[in-house]
Amino acid sequence: MAFVITSPCKTEKAGECVEVCPVDCIEEGKDMFYIDPDICIDCGACEAVCPVEAIFIEDEVPEEETPYIALNRAFFEDR
């Protein structure tokens, strides 16, 4: 189970998560960052530094943010 970046990233796109990720699983998209679920090791380092609290473990994504689970996966499938 990977972490997922949700809508608050769209208005912030700060990037602290990229800097702390030990496995480089976070990539920048046009509007926000995305976490590669195949590379993520579930360490939680990104979640701890996100200034807008946009990152959640997949099972804990708030209901209104669940479309971001599919958007995150689609970002890496389209590559």
Side-chain angles (χ1 to χ4, degrees), residues 31-72:
D31 298 325
M32 60 183 284
F33 289 98
Y34 298 89
I35 297 174
D36 188 330
D38 294 329
I39 299 174
C40 180
I41 59 171
D42 304 328
C43 69
C46 60
E47 181 184 31
V49 298
C50 181
V52 293
E53 299 179 358
I55 304 173
F56 298 89
I57 192 79
E58 188 174 337
D59 281 351
E60 296 176 7
V61 172
E63 187 174 336
E64 67 274 8
E65 298 287 336
T66 57
Y68 283 87
I69 297 170
L71 287 172
N72 189 76

